[in-house]
Amino acid sequence: MRDDVTEPNPQQCLVEMTGGALVTHAIFTATELGVADALADGPKTADELAAAVDAQPDALFRLLRMLAGFGVFAHADDGQFALTPMSECLRRDHPSGLRDYVRMSGHELARAWVELPHAVRTGDRAFDRAFGKPFFDYLRDHPDRARVFDGAMTAVHGSESVPMIEAYDFSRFETIVDVGGGNGSMLVELLRRVDGPRGVVFDLDDVAEHAATLLEGSDCAARATAVGGDFFTRVPAGADCYLLRHIVHDWDDDRSVTILANCREAMADDGRVLVVEGVVPPGGTPHPSKILDLIMLTVPGGRERTAEEYDALFARAGLRIERIIPTASPISIVEGARA
Ligand SMILES: C[S@@+](CC[C@H](N)C(=O)[O-])C[C@H]1O[C@@H](n2cnc3c(N)ncnc32)[C@H](O)[C@@H]1O
């Protein structure tokens, strides 16, 4: 047995994990200040950066020195700070949109998480306690934060689009309705890669308006439209595919059944409802869906589900699960047809 390998010290592990919240807030603060943009044209000292981003030089130095320890910025021996591959992603013009995800994490998510003890004691939504209203009502009342949320969704879920498109034959459909399709970026990716189907982004009125602008400016404009509405009331009728990526997990079982039943009601006879999100594996296997599940508990009040839980949900909506298709990302495609 090697004697140079020491077991992790449980106390130290807990101290480090508990400090994770501070790392979140430090990355958030650097992002809110726009440090990555200020470093775009080359390395700078903390004094130069402080003047550029309107911060107190010593406090900014200490923030960036700490983040350099995590590789978020580089701290050279001459005292200058520079971008790293991580902080490149925090620039305003970076295509990943990660800046929006950090801005949402440090504000809406972090404030909701402060109320996690309340959520676990009562099962109530932590977000509502922190912000005084449900998450999607809050976004409706704060259009600027709704745009941040859209960007954050593209940043965290955008990389799941290609694995999803590669795992399923979407060319068999005439019309795909992307239910709760957000800014439309997933539909554009899908239509670019799959010849044939037409696409509809369906989302709340103001979100759909924003998606329409993106679709019009895309090379898929002739095959794509955006429609506004409320999926608890109805979804556009007559399509043969209703795609719901990261939608059902936002809601409790009763609300989820209403959305699925509205899709069933609207779809063509041989249509399919595709629920695309994580399927929680049984037992103690670690899986990203088990982390996302706590975001669902605290923010919109939904949940990630096991295969058995999807089975029960689909059955209540008059649907039958045909297949659960894994993808090369943590999400799966749960394919439903009329029961
Ligand atoms: C978690 S996001 C998922 C966005 C996108 N499908 C993706 O995978 O990135 C949930 C979406 O549901 C939309 N939404 C929430 N409530 C809605 C409602 N009542 N009717 C229609 N869309 C709604 C939100 O505006 C948002 O775009």
Side-chain angles (χ1 to χ4, degrees), residues 135-136 139 149-150 152-154 156-158 160 178-183 185-186 202-207 228-234 243-247 249-251 255 259 276 296:
F135 182 58
F136 288 109
L139 291 182
F149 173 71
D150 275 350
M153 290 302 97
T154 305
V156 285
H157 300 313
E160 298 164 354
D178 186 3
V179 179
N183 62 16
S185 54
M186 183 191 77
F202 178 73
D203 210 299
L204 296 166
D205 287 337
D206 51 334
V207 183
D230 174 4
F231 51 43
F232 293 113
T233 309
R234 53 152 216 100
L243 179 56
L244 301 96
R245 189 178 73 169
H246 296 295
I247 298 302
H249 76 164
D250 285 338
W251 305 99
R255 304 282 270 171
I259 301 169
V276 183
M296 295 306 121

Side-chain angles (χ1 to χ4, degrees), residues 179-193:
V179 179
N183 62 16
S185 54
M186 183 191 77
L187 187 71
V188 167
E189 185 82 55
L190 198 160
L191 296 183
R192 268 191 195 137
R193 287 168 185 268

Side-chain angles (χ1 to χ4, degrees), residues 220-268:
C220 306
R223 293 160 63 205
T225 50
V227 175
D230 174 4
F231 51 43
F232 293 113
T233 309
R234 53 152 216 100
V235 297
D240 49 357
C241 176
Y242 290 81
L243 179 56
L244 301 96
R245 189 178 73 169
H246 296 295
I247 298 302
V248 172
H249 76 164
D250 285 338
W251 305 99
D252 64 22
D253 284 359
D254 289 347
R255 304 282 270 171
S256 299
V257 168
T258 302
I259 301 169
L260 291 173
N262 283 344
C263 293
R264 180 194 181 281
E265 179 72 26
M267 81 181 173

